Amino acid sequence: MIKAILIFNNHGKPRLIRFYEYFAEDVQQQIIRETFHLVSKRDDNVCNFLEGGSLIGGSDYKLIYRHYATLYFVFCVDSSESELGILDLIQVCYITLLYTYHLQVCYITLLYTYPLQVHFILQEVVMGGMVLETNMNEIVGQVELQNRMEKSEGGFSAAPARAVSAVKNINLPEMPRNINIGDINIKVPSLSPF
Amino acid sequence: MSDVVEKTLSALPSLLSLDSQAGAGKLSPSSKLGNLIKGITELTSKHEEETLIKKELESIKEQVASPNTTMRQMKEIMVRAIYCEMLGYQASFSYIHAIKLAQQGSVLEKRVGYLAVSLFLNETDEFLLLLVNTVLKDLQSTNLIEVCMALTVVSQMFPKDMIPAILPVVEEKLTHPKEIIRRKAVLALYKFYLIAPNQVQHIHSKFRKALCDKDPGVMTASLHIYLQLIKENPESYKDLTGSMVTILRQVVGGKLPLDFNYHSVPAPWLQIQLLRILAYLGKEDQGTSEMMYDVLEESLRRAEMNHNITYAILFECVKTIYTVHPKSQLLEKAAECIGNFVLSPKINLKYLGLKALTYVVQQDANLALPHQMTIIECLDHSDVIIKRETLELLFRITNAQNVTVIVEKMLEFLRLTYNVWFIQTMNSVFSLGGDVMQPDIPNNFLRLLAEGVDNVEDRQLRLFAVDSYVSLLQGETAKLPQRFLQVISWVLGEYSYLREEESDPGSVMRLLARLLDQRHTSTETRSWVLGAMTKLCSSPVYTAIYWQNLHCYSTERHWLYKTKCLSSLFKLYLTTLIFEVDLIISCLSWLWCCFIPQVDSSLSFLDGYVSDALAAGAAPYKSPHQRQEDLVQEKALSLEPYGLSLPVSLSSCSITDRRSPTLLSMSSGLSGNSTELSHQEGSTTLKLEGVKRVWGKDGYLAQQQSAGETPTPLVELPSPLLSPQSPPSQKPSSGLEPDQEKRQLASSLFVGLGSHNSVCLVRLPSTVWLFIKNCQSANQSNVVKSLFKPFYINSCQSALHNLLDSTTVASEGGAATTTTPQQTSQRTLDHTTSNGNPHVEGTEQRVEAGGPLSLIRGNGMVAVVPPRDLPLTSHLPAELSGLARSEFTPLCSDQDSSLALSACRVYKEDALVLLVFISNNNDSALHQMVLQLTCKELEVYIFQTGLNNKVPLFFSEIPVGRSRNQDRNTRVSSNRDLEKPRIFCESFRNFCSPPLTVSTGDYGKMWLSFSHDLKQNLRLVTTEHQEPLTATLDALKGKLHLHVVDIIGSEGIVACRLLQGPGQGQPCLLHCRVHADSLAVWLRSPVPELPDSLLYHCQKALTET
C-alpha cells in the first residue's frame, strides 16, 4: 500500500503532498522534512530506494523516489509494493503529467501552476493508497472525461482540458508504447522551448 | 521517440493558440492563486513565508465568511486553502466550506470540494458525518463522474461507523456497466475491508465475481483484495490457485489487450501482483506449488531483460520460486537470474539483487558463493543503502568460520554510518526537542557516550560527536536549546582530547569561552561549560583562557557559578597541578569572596534593634574596619605612644586591602606540614614566620619563648662575603649540583620554621580546609614542590644576589673582581686544590697574615675542612655550634675541582665569625695540602677536628676585624697557580653585628626610653616581587645586618646594635613608614651619634642597591 506521495522541489518546498493514511498536520510536515533530508543527501548515481526510516509504519516502510531536475517524487510505501513497480509508476505519473499539461509549459513550473490538476491525475493513478491504474491512456482518459465537463462549464481548468484534447488529437494512445520512458528526463528539456 | 516529437510539433499550432488563451486566464496576475504561488516562490525565508501565508489565510477567512461568495469563487478559495495546508498552515475554518462545496457545487466545484475534503479531513473527523448524505446522493447519481468522485472520496477516507449506510450502494456498483466504476467500487470495498473487515464479510463472493470480471482492470483491482486476504489466510484460498495461474499464464502469454502493455511488457503490475499471490499460496505447500511451476518458468523465460519493469517481474518471480516448494530446475534458473541482478551495473538492480540474495541464502547459503566478489565490492560501495543490504546478506550467511570477519565488517559499517547517523539524529533531537524534552534523554545519551570499553569504535563515536559539536558551536549557537548546549559542553569537556592532535588545542576552549560570554546562555549551562573548561585545563594552552574566564565569572553573583567554579577549582588542583602562584593566590582570594555572600552581611534582621538603640541615644555603629582605620590614622598621626598602637589586632593589621584573610590562613594551614609556604607567602604579604606571636586581640601576649629560641632571620643575612669565580669560564659560583644546591638551599631556608607557624588568624571555611588536606594527603610532595618552585628560584636568586652584592663591595675596596691574579693577589683568597694529586708539594702549614696578627675579639674567619659525606653542620667547632649562624654558602666548587669551599657566618655574642669549610670532593684521601690564608686585621684560627682518612687536614682561621671601615682581606694561596679559583673576600663593613634581637614588645619599651632621635626620608627600593617596604628593609638587613623586628602594613620597625667602638653594645631603633614614594625613617638611640651614623650607612646601602 502506498502511504504517501510527496512531491517537493530541490529546496524541500512541498509542491504536492498526498497522504493515504492519517497523520496529524505536524507529523505530516515532519515527514516531509525528514524525507527531504534523507533524499536530498543522495547522489543521482545511487539507488532510488531508501529503507530504515521509522516515521511511517516502522520498519515496514520504504521510500522510493525519483529526481527530475528540480523535483523529487517520493512514494512512501510498505513492503507489499514492488520497488521497481513503484519506480515505474512514478515514471508513468510524471510522463502523464507532462503529456497532459506541459507540452507548452516548462516542466519546472509543473506544480506551481497546476496543483489541482496534479491531484486529479494522482487520484486516477492511486486510489486510497492502492494502485488503481497504471495505464497512461486510461489515466489521461479519465482526467479528460472530467475535464470535458469542466470545459463545457467553461471553468477554471478549461485550458488543460483543451490541451488534453489537443494531445488526444495527436493520437496519444499510441505514444506510451513508443516512448522510452527511461530517457524522458533527458528528452523533455528539448521540448520545453516550445 | 522521434515520431512522438513530430506529432507533438504538428499539433503545436492548435495547442499554442489554445494555450495563449488558457495561459492568460490561468496565470494572469489577477489570479489570486497565481499571485500566492508567485509570492511564495519569490520568498527567501521561512519567516516571510509565514507572514505571507498568515495574510493569505486572513483573506481566505474573510472571503469564505462572506455570503456573497459564489461557489465558483469558493472553489478558487479552496485551491488556495489546499495550497496553504500543503505548506503546513492550518486552514481549519475552510473545512466546513469544503464540505459545503462538495455538497452544493456543480460537478466541477464538487470535484474540488471532494478533493479538499479528502486532503483536509481524516477518518475520525466529525465533519465527515456531514458528508455521508452527499456521498450517498452522488453514488446514486447517474453522472458517472459524480459516482467516481464519491467512490474516490470513500476509498480515501470514510467514517467507520457510517460504512453500513453506503455499503449496499457501493456493492451495487460492482455490477455497474462501466468498468471504471466497478474498479473503483472494488477498491472502495477493499478499503472498507481494511477498516472494518467484519462488515464486508458477506460480499466475498462478489469479490470472486470481480476477479472473474471481463475487464482486466477490475480483475487487477480485485487482486488487491485477494493479496490481502491470502496473505492473512492462505489456506482458505488454495482453490484460487488455479485461477491465479490461469490469469498469469494469460497475461504472460500476451492475451491481454495491447492497452495493458507497458514497454511491451503485458500488464507488469498485474504480473507482480499475481506472482506475489502465488508465493503466498504455494508457500510450504507442495501440491499448490506444483501447479505453478510451469507458469513461473514461463514468466522467467518471457521476461526479457530489456527494462526495469521486467526486472521487477523477474525479482518477484525469483522470490516466488524460492518461497514456494522448491524445484531444483527452477531454482537453478532463478539463481542465474539473481546473478543478472547482482552483476548489473544499474545500482537499483544491484540493490534488488542483493535483496534477492539475502532472501535466497536462507535456503541455500552456497548461492552467495558465486557472487563473493560482488558482495565484497558492494561492502565498499558509496551508497549506504547498498552497504546496508550487503551486511544484511552477510548476516544471513554468518557461520562459525566467518563470523569474525563479518562482525568486523558490520562494526565498520556501524562506525561509518551509524555513528554519524546516531549523532546526527541525536543532534536534531536535541535541537528540535530542545528544553521541553525529558532530562533523562540527554542523560542517557551522555551515558551511552561514556559507557563502553575504550576501544576504537567508541572513540570514533566520541570523536565524531566532538567534531560535530565543534562545528555546531562554530556556527550560530543562539538557537541551540540550553540542554543541548549542556550536552555539548559535557562531551567537549570529556572527549576533546580525542581531536587534539589534529587541530589547534585552544579552539575548543575558545568556543566554550564564547558560549560563556553569550547572553542567551543560561546559568545552568554556564556552569556546565565551566565544568567542561575545567576538564580541559590539563593542557597549559587552555589554562590561560580558562583562568581568564574563571575570573570573569568570579564577579557573577549567582551562587550556582560559585559552587561550580569552586568545584572546578578543586578538580583543577587535584588533577592537573597547575601551580602558578599568582593564579592560585588570586583564585583563593576570590574563593574567599565566594563565601561572603552566604552571610547576610547587612544584618538586616537587626535593623529594628539598631533603630531602637539609636533612638535611645546609642552611638551609631562603626564597623570594625572603620574603627581600625581610625586607629591606624591615630598611629600615623602620632607615633609617640607606640605602645598604644600595638594593641591593634594583628589580624586586622596584617590584612592588606587586596589580600583576603584566606590567604594568610592558607599559609599557616599549609605550613603545618610544609613550612615552606610561609616563606612563599612572605614574599607578597606579611611575614609570619620568625615573628613571635606577641599581639593578640587583647593586646600583648605573654612572652612564651626564651631568648634562645628567638628565631634568627636566617635568610637575608649578609652573604658570606666571598664571591667565587673561576677565571676560565666566568661562570656563576654555584658550583654544586643545582638540584642539590636547591635542596640544600630549601632545607636551609625553611629549616626550623615550623614551630612558628601555628598562628592561625582567621578561621577557614571548612571546604578550604578539606581541600588543603586533600592536597597534602594525595599529592603532597608534588603540590609542595610545585607550589614553591617559583619561590625556590627567587630564593636562589636572592642568595646569589647577596653574593654578588658582596662582590661589588669587594671591588669597591680597590680592585675589580675580574682582575688578574696579580692585581688581586692581595685581596683574594686563592686556593688550589690538590686535584686528585696526592703528592702536592709542601707539607707545611703556612699562615701568612697581611697585617699584624692580633687576637682581637670580633669578626673572624674559620676554615674548616669537613668530610663531604657528612653535613657541614656536624663539623662546626664545638664552641660555635650552639650559636646562630647563616646557611652554608658554597663559595667555589668547580665540577673539576676536588675541593669545595663553603662558608657560613656564626654570630657570636661579641663577634662575627666567618667559617670557611674546605671539603674534599675526591674519594681519595688528601695527604698533603697547603693552605695559605692572607688577611689583614683578621684573626685566623685553625681548627682541626673530626679527622678521618679522607680529610687529613683541618684548618681554621679566625681573623677579627678591628674596625668597621677597614678592609680585611684573606688570602689563601697554594703552591700551584694553575686553575685557581679565586674567591674574593669582601671586607666586612657590617655596621652592627650581631643584630639586636628584640621582640616587638621590648621594642616598644625601648623606643620610649631612648632620647636621641632623628627623622629622615630615604628612597625606597622597588623590586618586582616585593612590597617596597619589605624590599627596602630587606636590603638594609642584607647590607647592614639590621634586625627587622616587624612589618605592619606600611610600617616597619627595625633594631640594631653597635658592635664596636665607644658605644659598643648600644642599640639603635628605626621606625620606617612608607610615605608616598619615600621611606620616612625615624631613628632613636641612647647614643647621640649613632642615629646619624646609621642613617648615613642606610643611605649608602640603599644607593648601592
Side-chain angles (χ1 to χ4, degrees):
Chain A
M1 186 181 161
I2 296 165
K3 311 265 182 178
I5 297 172
L6 311 174
I7 305 178
F8 41 74
N9 71 0
N10 285 350
H11 305 290
K13 273 237 179 301
R15 293 289 171 236
L16 178 139
I17 54 174
R18 185 81 215 230
F19 282 89
Y20 295 101
E21 207 171 73
Y22 171 67
F23 293 101
E25 187 82 9
D26 50 339
V27 180
Q28 288 188 6
Q29 292 299 320
Q30 200 187 332
I31 290 170
I32 296 168
R33 271 199 304 273
E34 185 174 300
T35 307
F36 170 70
H37 191 67
L38 285 171
V39 163
S40 62
K41 277 190 305 194
R42 296 178 62 77
D43 291 339
D44 282 342
N45 60 351
V46 298
C47 69
N48 299 60
F49 317 116
L50 269 170
E51 274 183 276
S54 56
L55 265 180
I56 307 175
S59 57
D60 187 16
Y61 160 63
K62 48 195 170 184
L63 295 176
I64 297 162
Y65 73 97
R66 273 189 185 265
H67 187 199
Y68 297 105
T70 61
L71 290 174
Y72 284 99
F73 284 65
V74 185
F75 278 48
C76 310
V77 301
D78 64 14
S79 61
S80 69
E81 299 291 340
S82 152
E83 288 93 346
L84 286 176
I86 295 292
L87 206 56
D88 273 47
L89 192 67
I90 298 175
Q91 189 82 345
V92 168
C93 292
Y94 182 67
I95 287 167
T96 311
L97 289 171
L98 284 183
Y99 276 82
T100 314
Y101 300 110
H102 301 286
L103 280 176
Q104 320 84 19
V105 183
C106 178
Y107 64 97
I108 292 172
T109 60
L110 172 69
L111 300 166
Y112 290 176
T113 40
Y114 300 103
L116 213 54
Q117 297 305 311
V118 180
H119 270 296
F120 292 145
I121 291 173
L122 278 182
Q123 241 169 34
E124 296 306 318
V125 178
V126 179
M127 187 176 142
M130 268 77 63
V131 181
L132 175 73
E133 180 59 73
T134 54
N135 188 333
M136 184 171 146
N137 301 331
E138 287 294 322
I139 300 164
V140 172
Q142 277 302 314
V143 178
E144 184 201 348
L145 185 72
Q146 295 170 21
N147 287 345
R148 204 178 288 147
M149 206 159 284
E150 287 186 35
K151 194 180 173 185
S152 64
E153 292 182 16
F156 179 71
S157 304
R162 259 171 276 152
V164 168
S165 51
V167 170
K168 270 292 204 190
N169 292 340
I170 62 169
N171 197 10
L172 188 66
E174 284 177 28
M175 284 167 59
R177 278 172 228 151
N178 302 327
I179 296 168
N180 181 0
I181 292 183
D183 294 341
I184 196 70
N185 43 0
I186 304 163
K187 293 274 170 68
V188 163
S190 67
L191 294 173
S192 55
F194 302 117
Chain B
M1 189 68 206
S2 58
D3 57 331
V4 175
V5 177
E6 257 171 50
K7 282 175 184 172
T8 312
L9 285 173
S10 64
L12 264 180
S14 61
L15 274 172
L16 286 174
S17 63
L18 284 168
D19 190 55
S20 57
Q21 294 167 316
K26 198 82 177 167
L27 275 176
S28 70
S30 59
S31 156
K32 283 180 179 162
L33 177 67
N35 277 344
L36 174 64
I37 293 171
K38 210 174 149 214
I40 285 184
T41 44
E42 280 165 2
L43 295 179
T44 49
S45 78
K46 185 83 185 160
H47 179 71
E48 282 175 326
E49 181 191 290
E50 212 166 285
T51 323
L52 187 79
I53 296 282
K54 289 247 167 74
K55 223 168 93 190
E56 183 69 24
L57 285 176
E58 280 305 309
S59 115
I60 292 174
K61 204 172 188 174
E62 224 170 78
Q63 286 179 39
V64 293
S66 157
N68 299 326
T69 311
T70 62
M71 276 299 154
R72 175 174 286 195
Q73 282 168 329
M74 194 64 94
K75 188 189 77 180
E76 205 255 334
I77 291 166
M78 275 311 136
V79 178
R80 276 152 66 200
I82 290 172
Y83 198 83
C84 294
E85 282 261 331
M86 179 181 78
L87 292 175
Y89 300 88
Q90 282 248 314
S92 46
F93 57 85
S94 59
Y95 295 174
I96 186 69
H97 295 281
I99 290 173
K100 226 163 94 184
L101 194 65
Q103 284 169 341
Q104 298 166 10
S106 65
V107 177
L108 186 65
E109 289 140 15
K110 200 184 268 289
R111 189 180 174 204
V112 177
Y114 273 134
L115 178 67
V117 167
S118 67
L119 286 172
F120 291 161
L121 304 181
N122 66 72
E123 279 146 19
T124 55
D125 217 307
E126 286 180 0
F127 279 132
L128 276 182
L129 299 177
L130 300 172
L131 205 65
V132 173
N133 271 334
T134 317
V135 169
L136 202 58
K137 199 183 84 196
D138 285 335
L139 281 175
Q140 288 160 334
S141 161
T142 51
N143 189 331
L144 285 184
I145 291 173
E146 281 183 350
V147 178
C148 277
M149 286 188 302
L151 286 173
T152 304
V153 82
V154 157
S155 69
Q156 173 69 26
M157 36 137 220
F158 202 76
K160 196 174 167 184
D161 307 335
M162 284 308 181
I163 289 175
I166 57 164
L167 190 58
V169 194
V170 178
E171 273 184 68
E172 218 173 83
K173 297 295 168 206
L174 286 176
T175 54
H176 198 277
K178 264 300 211 190
E179 56 94 16
I180 184 73
I181 304 287
R182 294 203 300 274
R183 203 197 273 190
K184 288 196 173 180
V186 168
L187 282 185
L189 286 175
Y190 172 47
K191 190 75 184 185
F192 291 164
Y193 172 75
L194 287 180
I195 301 169
N198 298 333
Q199 295 182 4
V200 290
Q201 213 71 27
H202 62 284
I203 46 175
H204 279 194
S205 59
K206 291 189 176 168
F207 287 156
R208 285 188 188 238
K209 217 173 163 193
L211 185 64
C212 305
D213 198 283
K214 62 179 189 294
D215 184 84
V218 183
M219 186 262 292
T220 311
S222 69
L223 288 183
H224 283 290
I225 301 174
Y226 279 106
L227 183 63
Q228 184 68 28
L229 291 173
I230 293 169
K231 189 177 169 186
E232 285 168 5
N233 184 9
E235 294 307 317
S236 324
Y237 298 93
K238 294 283 184 192
D239 57 319
L240 282 176
T241 314
S243 316
M244 296 294 173
V245 169
T246 316
I247 295 170
L248 184 57
R249 187 170 291 129
Q250 285 178 2
V251 173
V252 172
K255 300 273 164 50
L256 283 181
L258 281 181
D259 270 0
F260 286 91
N261 280 13
Y262 175 79
H263 288 265
S264 317
V265 180
W269 286 278
L270 180 59
Q271 289 193 44
I272 292 169
Q273 288 280 67
L274 285 168
L275 285 168
R276 285 187 173 220
I277 290 172
L278 289 182
Y280 286 122
L281 285 172
K283 192 175 185 184
E284 290 160 8
D285 183 343
Q286 193 176 358
T288 320
S289 300
E290 274 165 2
M291 293 168 71
M292 55 185 79
Y293 287 150
D294 285 349
V295 73
L296 287 177
E297 198 175 349
E298 196 177 348
S299 270
L300 268 187
R301 194 165 42 81
R302 288 260 183 165
E304 295 148 31
M305 312 272 187
N306 60 359
H307 192 264
N308 269 344
I309 202 72
T310 51
Y311 280 102
I313 298 167
L314 272 180
F315 180 73
E316 290 303 329
C317 214
V318 168
K319 261 183 101 172
T320 308
I321 288 170
Y322 274 94
T323 311
V324 300
H325 191 268
K327 186 188 177 194
S328 57
Q329 198 190 343
L330 268 182
L331 290 179
E332 269 171 38
K333 286 188 177 169
E336 208 177 295
C337 243
I338 293 172
N340 286 332
F341 275 95
V342 174
L343 296 173
S344 165
K346 288 185 180 171
I347 189 117
N348 285 338
L349 299 185
K350 209 183 261 298
Y351 170 79
L352 287 176
L354 289 168
K355 261 195 114 134
L357 263 185
T358 311
Y359 190 74
V360 300
V361 289
Q362 286 171 286
Q363 292 169 20
D364 185 2
N366 292 330
L367 282 173
L369 290 179
H371 307 301
Q372 279 175 5
M373 283 323 290
T374 320
I375 293 166
I376 298 300
E377 275 168 32
C378 288
L379 263 184
D380 295 327
H381 202 277
S382 58
D383 189 351
V384 179
I385 298 293
I386 297 278
K387 270 191 202 171
R388 190 174 174 273
E389 201 54 49
T390 315
L391 285 173
E392 183 79 32
L393 170 62
L394 287 180
F395 167 68
R396 307 272 184 193
I397 58 169
T398 304
N399 57 37
Q401 281 88 46
N402 60 13
V403 65
T404 25
V405 189
I406 286 173
V407 167
E408 208 170 275
K409 284 286 176 192
M410 283 177 172
L411 289 178
E412 201 176 294
F413 175 77
L414 272 178
R415 195 162 64 235
L416 289 173
T417 58
Y418 274 64
N419 279 354
V420 177
W421 171 83
F422 176 66
I423 297 291
Q424 277 171 351
T425 310
M426 287 315 284
N427 281 359
S428 45
V429 166
F430 283 133
S431 17
L432 295 173
D435 297 329
V436 293
M437 81 170 83
Q438 300 281 329
D440 54 329
I441 295 176
N443 288 347
N444 286 340
F445 173 68
L446 292 182
R447 194 182 307 139
L448 201 108
L449 270 185
E451 266 173 3
V453 282
D454 197 25
N455 57 20
V456 181
E457 193 189 326
D458 285 336
R459 207 169 300 138
Q460 289 250 349
L461 179 69
R462 291 166 188 165
L463 181 60
F464 183 78
V466 168
D467 282 343
S468 76
Y469 292 157
V470 165
S471 57
L472 261 177
L473 285 188
Q474 275 160 352
E476 180 55 52
T477 55
K479 284 193 180 120
L480 296 178
Q482 297 300 320
R483 210 158 256 156
F484 191 23
L485 288 178
Q486 290 162 15
V487 168
I488 290 177
S489 312
W490 190 89
V491 172
L492 287 184
E494 286 289 321
Y495 301 119
S496 280
Y497 70 92
L498 289 172
R499 73 194 290 273
E500 210 162 26
E501 57 269 18
E502 64 197 53
S503 68
D504 168 27
S507 64
V508 175
M509 201 66 167
R510 272 189 289 277
L511 284 173
L512 287 173
R514 195 166 71 106
L515 213 55
L516 271 186
D517 289 339
Q518 278 165 358
R519 208 180 311 126
H520 58 80
T521 314
S522 78
T523 310
E524 201 192 340
T525 309
R526 285 202 170 117
S527 66
W528 280 72
V529 175
L530 272 180
M533 292 171 86
T534 311
K535 290 175 202 156
L536 291 175
C537 265
S538 49
S539 151
V541 189
Y542 294 154
T543 317
I545 311 171
Y546 171 71
W547 218 272
Q548 209 179 327
N549 278 284
L550 203 58
H551 274 294
C552 286
Y553 285 91
S554 65
T555 53
E556 292 281 350
R557 305 307 295 174
H558 201 284
W559 178 242
L560 193 57
Y561 294 153
K562 297 187 192 282
T563 336
K564 192 71 191 183
C565 291
L566 203 61
S567 63
S568 307
L569 206 62
F570 290 165
K571 274 187 222 154
L572 179 67
Y573 270 88
L574 294 173
T575 59
T576 62
L577 300 177
I578 297 165
F579 293 104
E580 292 275 349
V581 175
D582 287 351
L583 290 182
I584 289 172
I585 289 169
S586 54
C587 203
L588 287 177
S589 65
W590 169 75
L591 254 184
W592 171 250
C593 302
C594 280
F595 286 93
I596 292 172
Q598 281 178 303
V599 181
D600 180 8
S601 55
S602 65
L603 298 177
S604 51
F605 56 90
L606 286 177
D607 282 353
Y609 174 77
V610 170
S611 59
D612 287 349
L614 283 174
Y621 173 74
K622 267 187 171 180
S623 70
H625 181 66
Q626 281 173 310
R627 277 178 284 177
Q628 276 163 29
E629 261 184 4
D630 290 350
L631 285 170
V632 169
Q633 276 169 7
E634 222 179 298
K635 192 167 69 175
L637 287 172
S638 149
L639 280 163
E640 189 58 39
Y642 207 99
L644 293 181
S645 66
L646 290 174
V648 173
S649 109
L650 180 56
S651 63
S652 57
C653 285
S654 62
I655 301 164
T656 58
D657 293 338
R658 283 170 299 131
R659 300 287 171 206
S660 78
T662 320
L663 184 56
L664 292 177
S665 40
M666 259 299 286
S667 64
S668 51
L670 253 186
S671 57
N673 269 356
S674 58
T675 58
E676 289 116 318
L677 185 59
S678 325
H679 263 285
Q680 176 239 332
E681 299 295 348
S683 62
T684 48
T685 57
L686 174 66
K687 281 184 180 299
L688 286 171
E689 77 291 348
V691 179
K692 280 180 290 180
R693 190 179 177 196
V694 291
W695 293 343
K697 285 201 171 176
D698 304 319
Y700 295 129
L701 296 177
Q703 278 284 46
Q704 288 163 339
Q705 288 169 301
S706 68
E709 287 166 359
T710 307
T712 315
L714 296 174
V715 185
E716 305 294 350
L717 287 175
S719 68
L721 318 168
L722 298 169
S723 177
Q725 280 189 344
S726 59
S729 62
Q730 294 287 325
K731 66 182 172 189
S733 60
S734 50
L736 291 178
E737 290 277 308
D739 274 3
Q740 193 191 338
E741 188 185 20
K742 280 180 192 167
R743 219 170 292 133
Q744 195 183 333
L745 186 61
S747 58
S748 57
L749 272 174
F750 304 123
V751 70
L753 290 175
S755 57
H756 302 291
N757 286 300
S758 53
V759 192
C760 178
L761 300 169
V762 182
R763 262 195 69 225
L764 282 171
S766 57
T767 343
V768 176
W769 273 118
L770 257 176
F771 157 56
I772 292 162
K773 279 172 190 158
N774 279 346
C775 269
Q776 288 175 345
S777 59
N779 281 316
Q780 188 186 350
S781 59
N782 275 341
V783 169
V784 170
K785 219 181 273 172
S786 319
L787 267 175
F788 298 108
K789 219 170 185 177
F791 183 60
Y792 238 11
I793 293 159
N794 282 350
S795 310
C796 293
Q797 282 169 343
S798 75
L800 192 64
H801 188 66
N802 284 343
L803 283 172
L804 291 175
D805 273 354
S806 312
T807 314
T808 318
V809 177
S811 70
E812 231 178 44
T817 53
T818 53
T819 49
T820 61
Q822 284 78 17
Q823 283 174 306
T824 57
S825 61
Q826 288 306 303
R827 307 177 55 253
T828 53
L829 173 88
D830 294 344
H831 99 271
T832 305
T833 68
S834 52
N835 255 339
N837 178 6
H839 309 291
V840 182
E841 284 183 14
T843 54
E844 288 178 4
Q845 301 163 10
R846 291 182 291 140
V847 174
E848 290 179 11
L853 281 176
S854 54
L855 283 168
I856 298 169
R857 297 190 321 157
N859 296 341
M861 191 188 213
V862 180
V864 183
V865 184
R868 99 195 139 143
D869 46 353
L870 282 174
L872 291 172
T873 40
S874 62
H875 295 282
L876 277 176
E879 55 187 294
L880 298 176
S881 58
L883 297 173
R885 56 173 172 79
S886 74
E887 77 277 35
F888 293 94
T889 314
L891 295 178
C892 117
S893 60
D894 257 329
Q895 294 282 325
D896 309 325
S897 116
S898 51
L899 283 186
L901 266 183
S902 335
C904 98
R905 280 153 299 156
V906 178
Y907 302 100
K908 283 174 76 176
E909 189 63 19
D910 52 355
L912 176 69
V913 179
L914 178 63
L915 280 166
V916 179
F917 291 85
I918 304 164
S919 45
N920 181 10
N921 278 349
N922 271 344
D923 289 329
S924 54
L926 284 175
H927 299 297
Q928 296 170 320
M929 183 172 171
V930 177
L931 181 68
Q932 184 182 2
L933 294 166
T934 310
C935 64
K936 202 189 287 176
E937 294 187 32
L938 282 179
E939 207 173 325
V940 179
Y941 295 101
I942 300 167
F943 283 79
Q944 202 161 359
T945 61
L947 285 173
N948 61 28
N949 57 357
K950 280 186 184 173
V951 188
L953 298 172
F954 188 95
F955 301 91
S956 69
E957 185 179 289
I958 305 180
V960 179
R962 286 301 302 227
S963 79
R964 62 176 184 260
N965 283 328
Q966 271 183 313
D967 288 347
R968 284 148 296 198
N969 298 326
T970 308
R971 182 169 183 263
V972 180
S973 63
S974 76
N975 50 347
R976 293 176 66 183
D977 280 340
L978 293 169
E979 303 174 40
K980 269 192 243 173
R982 293 183 307 280
I983 300 155
F984 295 95
C985 177
E986 186 246 323
S987 62
F988 277 85
R989 50 176 73 204
N990 282 357
F991 181 71
C992 311
S993 181
L996 175 63
T997 320
V998 68
S999 73
T1000 316
D1002 292 334
Y1003 185 97
K1005 285 177 194 159
M1006 284 162 78
W1007 180 266
L1008 293 173
S1009 62
F1010 294 164
S1011 51
H1012 300 280
D1013 64 350
L1014 181 70
K1015 289 181 189 171
Q1016 181 74 42
N1017 279 357
L1018 296 176
R1019 68 179 267 276
L1020 274 170
V1021 176
T1022 49
T1023 59
E1024 283 171 16
H1025 310 291
Q1026 290 174 306
E1027 299 278 330
L1029 177 66
T1030 322
T1032 312
L1033 293 185
D1034 280 351
L1036 288 176
K1037 191 169 150 191
K1039 297 273 182 211
L1040 302 170
H1041 200 201
L1042 305 177
H1043 172 55
V1044 180
V1045 179
D1046 206 348
I1047 298 172
I1048 307 160
S1050 59
E1051 294 176 74
I1053 48 178
V1054 182
C1056 66
R1057 185 152 55 119
L1058 193 59
L1059 192 62
Q1060 291 126 10
Q1064 189 177 0
Q1066 288 301 322
C1068 182
L1069 304 181
L1070 290 92
H1071 175 270
C1072 311
R1073 183 183 170 81
V1074 176
H1075 186 72
D1077 292 332
S1078 59
L1079 184 72
V1081 187
W1082 190 354
L1083 300 99
R1084 283 197 164 205
S1085 171
V1087 184
E1089 301 89 346
L1090 192 52
D1092 249 335
S1093 169
L1094 182 60
L1095 192 63
Y1096 166 75
H1097 284 286
C1098 285
Q1099 277 170 337
K1100 201 174 168 193
L1102 290 178
T1103 322
E1104 279 163 14
T1105 50

